[in-house]
Amino acid sequence: MGFRRLAEEESAPLLMVASLSKASAGDAGGLATSGIDAGILGLKGLSAKGFAQLAEAVGYIPLGLSLESTERDAVAKSIDIGCDFVVFGLKTPLEAVNKEGLGRVLKIESSLEPGLVRAINGLPLSIDAVLVTGDESAITVERLLIYQRFAELLDKPLLATLTSMITADELGGLFEAGVNGLVLPEGISADAVTELKKSAAGLSRTTKRKTRTAAILPRLGGDAETRVEEEEEEDV
């Protein structure tokens, strides 16, 4: 349902998700035509009528809500508006988003401790993708390293937020680091999305991407790791 199906049926190397909080129905329709894969809306100032108009404008494209409140009743009321998926943070009440058939994207900070990032894989709540937030305007080496590390730790699609347009080289860097989708800057034009889609389509599916590592066992003794390595060498 919603984002889950989108992730499973990914047709491009990188999914493009538009921020539609300030978009009119006409703007949303133009972005849908340009090839966005999903849209995200904020709740501030959003009415059921406004949501319905945007949903009609984008057609079959999934629409999600970004939940900022941590109050259970407020979250539940927001979900009832009829969205396909929700984007929520770590402080969101479990019961509020544990609705059958609802797509779920967990939003985390880039500073989240690696152990907690890995623990997301085992959550009792089904998570369809993980969104790493950030307000940096540039794609730095540090940022790529963070995405690469998170991609290695997670067994779920990884999304990254963009605050400004990026170059084809930066797009390729994000792809090779393990990013599966981009949340595009607010107010991006349909033409800009079209160009990004063209660049993404040019990314080879056979490009060597960073592979996820196996689970790391805790060290039980000071020389346990050394003994394992020695045993493996003897077996060769």
Side-chain angles (χ1 to χ4, degrees):
M1 191 88 181
F3 199 89
R4 183 179 304 114
R5 184 185 308 159
L6 177 64
E8 291 173 349
E9 299 178 359
E10 182 181 346
S11 58
L14 282 171
L15 298 175
M16 302 292 171
V17 183
S19 300
L20 301 176
S21 297
K22 299 179 182 179
S24 65
D27 293 335
L31 290 170
T33 302
S34 70
I36 60 170
D37 299 290
I40 296 178
L41 298 165
L43 288 172
K44 187 176 181 180
L46 181 65
S47 64
K49 181 179 179 180
F51 181 87
Q53 291 174 339
L54 286 171
E56 182 179 0
V58 300
Y60 65 91
I61 293 173
L63 279 184
L65 291 178
S66 181
L67 306 177
E68 300 301 333
S69 175
T70 57
E71 298 179 6
R72 185 182 63 184
D73 292 342
V75 172
K77 185 177 180 180
S78 301
I79 292 175
D80 288 341
I81 204 170
C83 59
D84 298 297
F85 65 95
V86 289
V87 181
F88 60 97
L90 296 174
K91 300 294 185 180
T92 303
L94 175 63
E95 185 179 351
V97 293
N98 196 19
K99 180 179 179 181
E100 186 177 355
L102 184 69
R104 303 178 189 90
V105 177
L106 179 61
K107 181 172 55 177
I108 63 175
E109 302 271 345
S110 60
S111 58
L112 187 64
E113 195 271 322
L116 290 178
V117 175
R118 185 188 296 111
I120 293 171
N121 299 325
L123 275 175
L125 181 69
S126 175
I127 302 297
D128 303 303
V130 175
L131 171 62
V132 182
T133 62
D135 54 7
E136 303 92 345
S137 59
I139 304 298
T140 62
V141 173
E142 180 184 30
R143 194 171 173 185
L144 289 179
L145 287 173
I146 290 171
Y147 292 144
Q148 179 181 323
R149 182 56 172 156
F150 282 8
E152 292 170 345
L153 294 171
L154 293 166
D155 61 6
K156 307 176 187 304
L158 181 67
L159 308 179
T161 55
L162 296 181
T163 58
S164 60
M165 281 298 293
I166 57 175
T167 66
D169 287 341
E170 290 173 326
L171 191 72
L174 291 169
F175 175 70
E176 291 189 38
V179 173
N180 302 103
L182 303 173
V183 177
L184 306 175
E186 188 77 53
I188 191 172
S189 68
D191 289 341
V193 173
T194 299
E195 290 303 312
L196 272 179
K197 293 286 287 187
K198 287 180 180 178
S199 297
L203 296 172
S204 172
R205 289 183 179 275
T206 60
T207 297
K208 184 177 180 181
R209 296 184 65 163
K210 309 306 178 185
T211 56
R212 296 183 176 92
T213 59
I216 301 174
L217 296 176
R219 294 186 63 179
L220 301 180
D223 59 347
E225 186 174 313
T226 303
R227 288 200 300 270
V228 171
E229 291 178 354
E230 290 175 351
E231 289 173 2
E232 289 177 347
E233 290 177 359
E234 291 174 359
D235 292 339
V236 174

